[in-house]
Amino acid sequence: MAAYATLAFVVDPESPDPFAEARRRDGVLVADFAGEAIPMILGHRAVRAAASDWQQFSSDAPFRVPIPSEEHVRTVRQLPIEADPPLHSAFRALLNPIFRRPLQPDYVARIDALVADQIDAAVASGTVEVVRDFALPLQSRALTLLLGMPETAAEEWIGWGIHVFHDGDDGAAKGAGLDDYIRHMVARAQPSGGDDFFSALTRMRFEGRPLTTDEMVGIANLVFAGGRDTIIHSVSRIIAYFAEHRAALDAICQDSKQIAFAVEEFVRVISPLTHIGRVCPVATEVGPVMVAANDRVSLCWASANQDETVFDDPGTIRLDRAPNPHLGFGSGIHNCLGSAQARAILRSLIRQLGARTGALTIIDAERQFEVMPQYRRWVGYSALTVRFEGPMA
Ligand code: HEM
């Protein structure tokens, strides 16, 4: 009971679940995204069922899986996310060996070293703006490990900001910059170049032939865009959470199982990716809404993760929640390919914060909300200034 009291906290009375009412009413919220009315599927079971039915809810829709759609910020179809089987399965299989790297103990040790360096630097400087000067560099440097690239490569990626398309005024210019970088890297990559990601792309074979340039660019585009703001918001929110609940950090940080549970609970509660789109190839009934052929629906992971028919007391963060069938990493055939990387980073963050810091004090916090006409949802921080102190001697 004592441990439970330390580990359970009401999420945040100022940011209630914006989907609760519609989810309880009929499970669907029709929301306006840049002029497109999209029914959001809200209940846990309905979201999971839709995610596993790719014939009815298809991802074979270049630029239209993200919401709002991304025709204006990139030129190629992202793979494997914007494809259905068999194309999806073939590309996913090609990428699996890379994305499984974080499951190796030596990889975890390298992530630990990276996180430890970053925390020690924060303690040395005292006060740090966590979003841009901690979470963003950590995400980019950790990506160099996943992609087998030198850590110096991260310096250019850090310059792209929190979101490769939307962080700044001109999403199209940012998207073009990412495209140029990737095309340049693909053009100079050699099949004999070694273990780095771009050389690996040139060695991959699909139906017996090398990948086309657009296929390589589409894979790389997703790798750079996909796990970026999601990781950055998670890192920032975990640091803020433990600054306010230090006793909980001390209670879990020695036990890898407790840390793993805590990471799942943070992904459930934060739900860094609110939702994702699918296209209905034929007219489809979604709750009370009839979706016309070729129109879109949203699978709302964030709402599913607050479904009170699945999660006992969903508005409370219970760091020891288990089982925790959250959909923060998606569900079905497109479930997050980067989840092992995300888990490795977030687990290491908790472990190293517990071991290498004393008091963490929030000096200033500016929350970042996802604001749409029909809902407003807290996703992370646009800025978070924290004073890091070292552990007591
Ligand atoms: C906390 C961090 C993360 C969250 C919450 C998250 C969430 C998600 C979700 C919900 C999906 C499902 C999309 C769909 O159903 O269409 C997904 C897919 C994907 N994610 Fe993540 N993600 C995270 C981190 C990452 C990272 C670090 C990477 C790569 C470095 C990554 C790469 C991908 C890829 C490649 C897919 C597509 C998989 C497929 O289509 O088969 N993600 N992610």
Side-chain angles (χ1 to χ4, degrees), residues 307-329:
D307 189 331
E308 50 279 290
T309 65
V310 174
F311 300 100
D312 189 23
D313 200 4
T316 297
I317 296 189
R318 286 190 188 164
L319 294 184
D320 55 356
R321 192 184 289 276
N324 190 343
H326 71 78
L327 305 184
F329 288 122

Side-chain angles (χ1 to χ4, degrees), residues 205-378:
R205 291 288 178 277
F206 172 63
E207 294 178 343
R209 59 155 176 86
L211 305 191
T212 65
T213 300
D214 275 2
E215 286 164 348
M216 290 192 258
V217 174
I219 291 171
N221 189 291
L222 176 59
V223 165
F224 283 107
R228 193 172 181 88
D229 55 335
T230 47
I231 291 283
I232 292 166
H233 288 317
S234 303
V235 167
S236 310
R237 282 189 59 175
I238 288 173
I239 291 175
Y241 184 84
F242 285 128
E244 290 174 339
H245 304 292
R246 175 75 207 194
L249 177 59
D250 293 333
I252 65 169
C253 72
Q254 304 292 341
D255 180 347
S256 58
K257 207 166 90 184
Q258 289 298 324
I259 292 173
F261 288 158
V263 165
E264 299 314 305
E265 182 67 344
F266 281 119
V267 174
R268 179 186 75 84
V269 169
I270 299 170
S271 289
L273 187 60
T274 302
H275 63 157
I276 199 103
R278 295 286 190 263
V279 171
C280 295
V282 296
T284 304
E285 231 172 280
V286 170
V289 181
M290 184 51 91
V291 182
N294 203 33
D295 276 5
R296 295 203 285 170
V297 300
S298 123
L299 312 186
C300 188
W301 319 114
S303 168
N305 285 343
Q306 290 292 320
D307 189 331
E308 50 279 290
T309 65
V310 174
F311 300 100
D312 189 23
D313 200 4
T316 297
I317 296 189
R318 286 190 188 164
L319 294 184
D320 55 356
R321 192 184 289 276
N324 190 343
H326 71 78
L327 305 184
F329 288 122
S331 177
I333 57 169
H334 289 280
N335 72 62
C336 181
L337 202 43
S339 60
Q341 170 80 346
R343 287 184 169 116
I345 295 170
L346 300 180
R347 288 174 187 174
S348 175
L349 176 68
I350 294 176
R351 211 164 30 239
Q352 302 299 333
L353 277 177
R356 311 180 93 83
T357 68
L360 298 166
T361 312
I362 297 179
I363 307 294
D364 194 30
E366 273 172 47
R367 288 187 180 199
Q368 186 173 320
F369 292 87
E370 190 174 303
V371 183
M372 295 292 157
Q374 283 77 15
Y375 71 88
R376 177 175 187 270
R377 178 168 187 264
W378 177 32

Side-chain angles (χ1 to χ4, degrees), residues 1 35 77 96 104 133 137 175-176 291 313 316 352:
M1 188 62 202
R77 162 203 290 236
N96 250 331
Q104 300 302 319
D133 298 334
V291 182
D313 200 4
T316 297
Q352 302 299 333

